[in-house]
Amino acid sequence: MGAIYVVTGANSGLGFATAKALTDRGAHVIMGVRDGNKGREARARLTGGSSEVRVVDLADLDSVRAFADGIERVDVLINNAGVMGLPRTLSAQGFEMQFAVNHLAHFALTGLLLDRIADRVVTVSSTLHKQGRLNFDDLNAEHGYRHGTAYNQSKLANVVFGLELQRRLAETGSSLRSVLAHPGYAATSLQAKTQPGLYRTALLLGNRILAASADDGARPTVFAATDASVRGGQFIGPGGLGEMRGAPRVVKATPAAADPATARRLWSVSEEMTGVRYLSATRSGQVE
């Protein structure tokens, strides 16, 4: 068996393209999927390496904990799954769904698995993180909900988390790496699942005219997860115009994502919301 990768959202879109690229390299991929039947259908289309399907509902932190309990070791955790453009919906624990799935679930999963990860954590964000703002007075979007604003906030949270995790790893002298990636503009099923209306119509039209394929969109994530030259704290994205497509390269996060005070505040709030407290940068989280 090759290196072991955990990929969330691995049954479709960028997650499936990532799983395929990794298994084609001879890796073993644990496919974290919400729907077991769809996961098994996706696994049947993988031709290299080895893989297995395990169910995890990222909208339910109890499911995240159960999923983490079943993993003995992993070389690379890829926090890929996400939701986009939903009407205001709540997770099982009562959190705004985009923030819950895109950030809180992966914050919890990383913390629960941290002492079983051998190499690195890759957290997938978006160029839209640059338009995000962390509204600490209303992270749950109870006032004036706008799905685009909520999505951008969740993607900024991904970047803030990934950079802060690297700081904490470095402070303890850990050899683990926290790396960020984004796909640019890639055509996936994510856009088709957004709230009906002009926003979804524009996204689907953009998929046809501008977007790269899911396979191309997964290239930065695969590079971030496998290349030996990648350093902790780096952000890997497409190298083409506007970071929309192209070969993977190191890109820059918005300066707001690097603010240590903001990161500490988000970390504290995330621990409180998930009930997962990171005991140290080299030991997995404790569930309260």
Side-chain angles (χ1 to χ4, degrees):
M1 182 184 295
I4 300 174
Y5 294 78
V6 170
V7 182
T8 62
N11 64 288
S12 65
L14 295 170
F16 177 76
T18 298
K20 182 178 185 302
L22 293 171
T23 55
D24 284 348
R25 293 168 177 246
H28 179 79
V29 175
I30 297 173
M31 305 172 69
V33 303
R34 185 173 63 86
D35 186 315
N37 289 330
K38 290 182 179 179
R40 286 183 284 274
E41 290 172 1
R43 181 175 181 265
R45 305 201 306 273
L46 299 177
T47 56
S50 60
S51 58
E52 59 186 287
V53 173
R54 299 195 189 183
V55 173
V56 57
D57 182 356
L58 296 174
D60 185 347
L61 291 170
D62 291 338
S63 179
V64 172
R65 293 174 183 122
F67 177 74
D69 285 345
I71 295 174
E72 295 183 359
R73 76 175 187 88
V74 57
D75 291 289
V76 180
L77 168 63
I78 302 179
N79 293 321
N80 163 81
V83 292
M84 179 183 190
L86 304 178
R88 189 172 187 274
T89 311
L90 301 182
S91 71
Q93 284 71 37
F95 303 127
E96 189 279 314
M97 189 67 78
Q98 293 183 93
F99 192 74
V101 171
N102 298 354
H103 169 62
L104 291 176
H106 289 124
F107 176 91
L109 180 60
T110 303
L112 293 167
L113 288 178
L114 200 59
D115 65 350
R116 284 166 272 172
I117 302 172
D119 185 11
R120 69 190 82 177
V121 177
V122 178
T123 301
V124 180
S125 183
S126 164
T127 55
L128 290 174
H129 85 276
K130 297 177 181 179
Q131 300 178 31
R133 184 177 70 88
L134 291 170
N135 184 357
F136 286 107
D137 294 327
D138 191 24
L139 286 175
N140 222 22
E142 296 178 10
H143 307 288
Y145 177 77
R146 298 182 66 181
H147 58 76
T149 299
Y151 178 77
N152 297 347
Q153 174 178 253
S154 73
K155 292 289 100 179
L156 175 58
N158 288 153
V159 180
V160 173
F161 162 65
L163 295 177
E164 177 64 9
L165 177 60
Q166 178 57 35
R167 287 191 200 98
R168 294 179 180 230
L169 291 169
E171 286 172 359
T172 65
S174 172
S175 62
L176 296 182
R177 288 168 279 181
S178 173
V179 186
L180 291 154
H182 81 77
Y185 190 0
T188 73
S189 59
L190 188 64
Q191 292 93 343
K193 296 176 182 177
T194 59
Q195 187 175 0
L198 291 176
Y199 182 65
R200 184 170 71 174
T201 300
L203 287 175
L204 295 177
L205 181 61
N207 279 0
R208 292 186 178 186
I209 299 173
L210 300 172
S213 67
D215 287 343
D216 284 342
R219 290 172 67 192
T221 300
V222 174
F223 184 88
T226 62
D227 195 276
S229 70
V230 173
R231 300 193 304 275
Q234 288 186 325
F235 196 169
I236 308 299
L241 181 65
E243 299 176 20
M244 293 182 67
R245 61 172 71 201
R249 68 172 177 87
V250 177
V251 298
K252 292 183 178 180
T254 181
D259 177 55
T262 298
R264 287 192 296 270
R265 187 175 184 184
L266 177 64
W267 195 279
S268 177
V269 169
S270 299
E271 287 190 332
E272 181 178 348
M273 294 175 82
T274 62
V276 175
R277 298 189 183 278
Y278 285 57
L279 301 181
S280 76
T282 56
R283 296 175 57 200
S284 61
Q286 172 181 308
V287 179
E288 295 189 335

